[in-house]
Structures are given as C-alpha cells and as structure tokens.
Amino acid sequence: MTTVPQDIRKTFHQELDEVHQEIVRFAAMVTEVIPRGTDALLANDLEEAQRIVDGDDAFDALSLEVEERCYQLLALQQPMAGDLRSIVTALRMIGEIERSGDLVVNIAKGARRIFGTELPARLRGLIGQMGEEATRLFRLSLDAYIDEDAGVAAALDDLDDRLDSIHREFIQEIFLVHTAGDLGIQPAVQLALVGRYYERIGDHAVNIGERVRYMVT
C-alpha cells in the first residue's frame, strides 16, 4: 500500500480548508444577493436589478475556480474516506450554490420585465415573505456546512414547508388579482415565475443540507 508523505498530506488539508473557505464565501455571496433581488423587485429599481444581472459573471467564475480546485485535489492527492466525502460534498454544493445565484439573477430579470407595474399590497407582502424565507433557508444551510451540523441540515426539509406554503398562497393570489382585472397576463406570468424561483432556492438549500448530512455521517 502506498503511503502518502506527511508534508503532502498537510498541504492537502490546507488546500481542502481553502476550498471549504471559498465555498463559504460563494454561499455567503448568494445569501446576500437574495434580499437585494427582492428589494429590486419591490422597489422597481432597474439599476439594482441590472447590477445583480451583471454580477452573475462573478458567480460563474468563482464556481468554475472552486470546482477546478476540487478536481485537482481528487486527481493529484489520495483522499481518505472522510476527505473524499468532503471533496464530493464540495463539488455537489458548488452546483447548488451556483444555480441558486442564477435564480436570483432570474428574479432581477423578472423585476426588469414588470418594471412600472403597480403590485397590490397583498402580492408585495407575499413576495417579501418568500424572499425572507429563501434567505433564511440558505443562511441555515450555510451554517450547517460551516458547523458540520447534521441536525440543522436535517431540519431544512421541514423548514422549507413554510416557503412552499407561502408560494402556493402567492400563486392563488396572482390568480385572484388577475381574475379581478387588477393585473395583466404578462405581469401575472412573470410573478408566477418569480415565485417559482424563490421556491427553487429553498429546494437548493434543502439539497445543501442533504450534502452536509452525507459529509458528516
């Protein structure tokens, strides 16, 4: 059996720690941009929406960079069982985080498409609630990863039920407002898509929790 020299193993763990830190930074960036997307939507803020769209390139670049580092660790080192789980978890999390960032970009694009539309108070309130829940879920998934907390990771699935419930209520309200003639078909469609984006962010947070549980247990 080949023995890995101690200095190489030390370097490996340093690189693995750096990958861990980069994933935390990446997830924190997405966590911070979710409420920005909500604010841009509710405030009819085209400039902020455009900044979020433009920032997608930075998300993509960081995603590719961290993914490449993970593949290098797999190819050039000999990770043991626990380290291998950490790398596999990192690779899977990168995709979940990157897709969540894309969803916030889609929310910002939705804000541009409905620019100038006066949203009823009830719809505005539900959008705000979805944004808060999506942010909370994503932050908790990040905390679970940082702390390697399988308990918090496992709880995410149940916590996501609230976001799912708000999303259903939001879709029903869109239908009612549109039927009453207070919302055109195009804004109604865009808002329905926005609701789906928030709901999918919650799903990705749950998926991250599952990755954390795999890594820890």
mmCIF file of all heavy atoms in Angstrom, residues 3-21:
data_model
loop_
_atom_site.group_PDB
_atom_site.id
_atom_site.type_symbol
_atom_site.label_atom_id
_atom_site.label_comp_id
_atom_site.label_asym_id
_atom_site.label_seq_id
_atom_site.Cartn_x
_atom_site.Cartn_y
_atom_site.Cartn_z
ATOM 1 N N THR A 3 2.091 4.871 0.833
ATOM 2 C CA THR A 3 1.940 5.781 1.960
ATOM 3 C C THR A 3 2.156 7.215 1.482
ATOM 4 O O THR A 3 3.134 7.513 0.796
ATOM 5 C CB THR A 3 2.964 5.462 3.066
ATOM 6 O OG1 THR A 3 2.771 4.116 3.488
ATOM 7 C CG2 THR A 3 2.771 6.401 4.248
ATOM 8 N N VAL A 4 1.232 8.097 1.838
ATOM 9 C CA VAL A 4 1.340 9.493 1.446
ATOM 10 C C VAL A 4 2.246 10.220 2.432
ATOM 11 O O VAL A 4 2.001 10.171 3.646
ATOM 12 C CB VAL A 4 -0.055 10.164 1.432
ATOM 13 C CG1 VAL A 4 0.070 11.626 1.027
ATOM 14 C CG2 VAL A 4 -0.982 9.425 0.493
ATOM 15 N N PRO A 5 3.322 10.888 1.973
ATOM 16 C CA PRO A 5 4.207 11.627 2.873
ATOM 17 C C PRO A 5 3.435 12.651 3.696
ATOM 18 O O PRO A 5 2.452 13.237 3.233
ATOM 19 C CB PRO A 5 5.187 12.309 1.901
ATOM 20 C CG PRO A 5 5.160 11.464 0.668
ATOM 21 C CD PRO A 5 3.769 10.943 0.572
ATOM 22 N N GLN A 6 3.911 12.870 4.942
ATOM 23 C CA GLN A 6 3.207 13.735 5.874
ATOM 24 C C GLN A 6 3.097 15.168 5.364
ATOM 25 O O GLN A 6 2.063 15.820 5.528
ATOM 26 C CB GLN A 6 3.922 13.726 7.235
ATOM 27 C CG GLN A 6 3.131 14.395 8.358
ATOM 28 C CD GLN A 6 1.839 13.644 8.661
ATOM 29 O OE1 GLN A 6 1.787 12.436 8.536
ATOM 30 N NE2 GLN A 6 0.794 14.382 9.032
ATOM 31 N N ASP A 7 4.171 15.667 4.718
ATOM 32 C CA ASP A 7 4.132 17.057 4.255
ATOM 33 C C ASP A 7 3.129 17.240 3.120
ATOM 34 O O ASP A 7 2.450 18.267 3.019
ATOM 35 C CB ASP A 7 5.526 17.523 3.815
ATOM 36 C CG ASP A 7 6.106 16.640 2.719
ATOM 37 O OD1 ASP A 7 5.669 15.489 2.603
ATOM 38 O OD2 ASP A 7 7.006 17.107 1.997
ATOM 39 N N ILE A 8 2.975 16.203 2.274
ATOM 40 C CA ILE A 8 1.985 16.267 1.202
ATOM 41 C C ILE A 8 0.584 16.241 1.784
ATOM 42 O O ILE A 8 -0.311 16.971 1.354
ATOM 43 C CB ILE A 8 2.186 15.097 0.212
ATOM 44 C CG1 ILE A 8 3.524 15.254 -0.516
ATOM 45 C CG2 ILE A 8 1.030 15.040 -0.785
ATOM 46 C CD1 ILE A 8 3.818 14.139 -1.489
ATOM 47 N N ARG A 9 0.381 15.381 2.792
ATOM 48 C CA ARG A 9 -0.934 15.304 3.437
ATOM 49 C C ARG A 9 -1.292 16.630 4.093
ATOM 50 O O ARG A 9 -2.444 17.076 4.052
ATOM 51 C CB ARG A 9 -0.916 14.174 4.470
ATOM 52 C CG ARG A 9 -2.207 13.992 5.245
ATOM 53 C CD ARG A 9 -3.394 13.756 4.360
ATOM 54 N NE ARG A 9 -3.214 12.586 3.486
ATOM 55 C CZ ARG A 9 -4.074 12.238 2.548
ATOM 56 N NH1 ARG A 9 -5.150 12.957 2.343
ATOM 57 N NH2 ARG A 9 -3.845 11.174 1.803
ATOM 58 N N LYS A 10 -0.274 17.292 4.697
ATOM 59 C CA LYS A 10 -0.518 18.587 5.333
ATOM 60 C C LYS A 10 -0.936 19.615 4.286
ATOM 61 O O LYS A 10 -1.885 20.378 4.488
ATOM 62 C CB LYS A 10 0.741 19.055 6.064
ATOM 63 C CG LYS A 10 0.568 20.375 6.807
ATOM 64 C CD LYS A 10 1.832 20.744 7.554
ATOM 65 C CE LYS A 10 1.663 22.067 8.295
ATOM 66 N NZ LYS A 10 2.906 22.459 9.018
ATOM 67 N N THR A 11 -0.243 19.636 3.152
ATOM 68 C CA THR A 11 -0.591 20.561 2.079
ATOM 69 C C THR A 11 -1.996 20.286 1.564
ATOM 70 O O THR A 11 -2.776 21.194 1.298
ATOM 71 C CB THR A 11 0.411 20.446 0.925
ATOM 72 O OG1 THR A 11 1.721 20.727 1.413
ATOM 73 C CG2 THR A 11 0.064 21.419 -0.198
ATOM 74 N N PHE A 12 -2.314 19.004 1.454
ATOM 75 C CA PHE A 12 -3.644 18.616 1.001
ATOM 76 C C PHE A 12 -4.721 19.185 1.913
ATOM 77 O O PHE A 12 -5.715 19.747 1.457
ATOM 78 C CB PHE A 12 -3.744 17.086 0.949
ATOM 79 C CG PHE A 12 -5.143 16.577 0.777
ATOM 80 C CD1 PHE A 12 -5.761 16.608 -0.465
ATOM 81 C CD2 PHE A 12 -5.856 16.053 1.854
ATOM 82 C CE1 PHE A 12 -7.051 16.124 -0.634
ATOM 83 C CE2 PHE A 12 -7.135 15.579 1.689
ATOM 84 C CZ PHE A 12 -7.741 15.614 0.448
ATOM 85 N N HIS A 13 -4.532 19.045 3.212
ATOM 86 C CA HIS A 13 -5.537 19.549 4.146
ATOM 87 C C HIS A 13 -5.606 21.071 4.126
ATOM 88 O O HIS A 13 -6.683 21.651 4.312
ATOM 89 C CB HIS A 13 -5.244 19.033 5.565
ATOM 90 C CG HIS A 13 -5.700 17.621 5.768
ATOM 91 N ND1 HIS A 13 -4.849 16.604 6.136
ATOM 92 C CD2 HIS A 13 -6.920 17.042 5.628
ATOM 93 C CE1 HIS A 13 -5.524 15.471 6.222
ATOM 94 N NE2 HIS A 13 -6.775 15.714 5.915
ATOM 95 N N GLN A 14 -4.483 21.730 3.891
ATOM 96 C CA GLN A 14 -4.510 23.182 3.756
ATOM 97 C C GLN A 14 -5.333 23.584 2.530
ATOM 98 O O GLN A 14 -6.150 24.518 2.586
ATOM 99 C CB GLN A 14 -3.078 23.723 3.630
ATOM 100 C CG GLN A 14 -2.279 23.647 4.917
ATOM 101 C CD GLN A 14 -0.825 24.024 4.724
ATOM 102 O OE1 GLN A 14 -0.311 24.034 3.601
ATOM 103 N NE2 GLN A 14 -0.142 24.334 5.818
ATOM 104 N N GLU A 15 -5.134 22.868 1.434
ATOM 105 C CA GLU A 15 -5.880 23.165 0.216
ATOM 106 C C GLU A 15 -7.368 22.846 0.403
ATOM 107 O O GLU A 15 -8.234 23.576 -0.093
ATOM 108 C CB GLU A 15 -5.310 22.371 -0.956
ATOM 109 C CG GLU A 15 -3.910 22.817 -1.354
ATOM 110 C CD GLU A 15 -3.347 21.998 -2.504
ATOM 111 O OE1 GLU A 15 -4.045 21.078 -2.965
ATOM 112 O OE2 GLU A 15 -2.219 22.286 -2.929
ATOM 113 N N LEU A 16 -7.650 21.770 1.118
ATOM 114 C CA LEU A 16 -9.041 21.411 1.377
ATOM 115 C C LEU A 16 -9.714 22.477 2.241
ATOM 116 O O LEU A 16 -10.882 22.837 2.012
ATOM 117 C CB LEU A 16 -9.108 20.048 2.064
ATOM 118 C CG LEU A 16 -10.490 19.408 2.218
ATOM 119 C CD1 LEU A 16 -11.173 19.260 0.859
ATOM 120 C CD2 LEU A 16 -10.370 18.042 2.897
ATOM 121 N N ASP A 17 -8.992 23.003 3.217
ATOM 122 C CA ASP A 17 -9.525 24.086 4.047
ATOM 123 C C ASP A 17 -9.806 25.329 3.201
ATOM 124 O O ASP A 17 -10.810 26.025 3.411
ATOM 125 C CB ASP A 17 -8.537 24.439 5.166
ATOM 126 C CG ASP A 17 -8.508 23.395 6.267
ATOM 127 O OD1 ASP A 17 -9.454 22.587 6.338
ATOM 128 O OD2 ASP A 17 -7.530 23.379 7.049
ATOM 129 N N GLU A 18 -8.921 25.610 2.241
ATOM 130 C CA GLU A 18 -9.117 26.770 1.380
ATOM 131 C C GLU A 18 -10.349 26.587 0.492
ATOM 132 O O GLU A 18 -11.106 27.540 0.258
ATOM 133 C CB GLU A 18 -7.868 27.004 0.524
ATOM 134 C CG GLU A 18 -6.679 27.515 1.325
ATOM 135 C CD GLU A 18 -5.412 27.593 0.496
ATOM 136 O OE1 GLU A 18 -5.486 27.329 -0.730
ATOM 137 O OE2 GLU A 18 -4.355 27.929 1.051
ATOM 138 N N VAL A 19 -10.544 25.367 0.006
ATOM 139 C CA VAL A 19 -11.747 25.077 -0.777
ATOM 140 C C VAL A 19 -12.991 25.301 0.090
ATOM 141 O O VAL A 19 -13.979 25.900 -0.350
ATOM 142 C CB VAL A 19 -11.713 23.630 -1.312
ATOM 143 C CG1 VAL A 19 -13.092 23.207 -1.822
ATOM 144 C CG2 VAL A 19 -10.683 23.503 -2.424
ATOM 145 N N HIS A 20 -12.929 24.806 1.324
ATOM 146 C CA HIS A 20 -14.032 24.992 2.265
ATOM 147 C C HIS A 20 -14.333 26.487 2.433
ATOM 148 O O HIS A 20 -15.499 26.906 2.390
ATOM 149 C CB HIS A 20 -13.655 24.369 3.609
ATOM 150 C CG HIS A 20 -14.670 24.550 4.695
ATOM 151 N ND1 HIS A 20 -15.724 23.691 4.901
ATOM 152 C CD2 HIS A 20 -14.796 25.519 5.638
ATOM 153 C CE1 HIS A 20 -16.442 24.118 5.924
ATOM 154 N NE2 HIS A 20 -15.900 25.224 6.384
ATOM 155 N N GLN A 21 -13.296 27.296 2.599
ATOM 156 C CA GLN A 21 -13.477 28.734 2.797
ATOM 157 C C GLN A 21 -14.069 29.402 1.559
ATOM 158 O O GLN A 21 -14.901 30.310 1.658
ATOM 159 C CB GLN A 21 -12.139 29.372 3.171
ATOM 160 C CG GLN A 21 -11.629 28.968 4.547
ATOM 161 C CD GLN A 21 -10.173 29.346 4.776
ATOM 162 O OE1 GLN A 21 -9.594 30.114 4.001
ATOM 163 N NE2 GLN A 21 -9.577 28.808 5.832
#
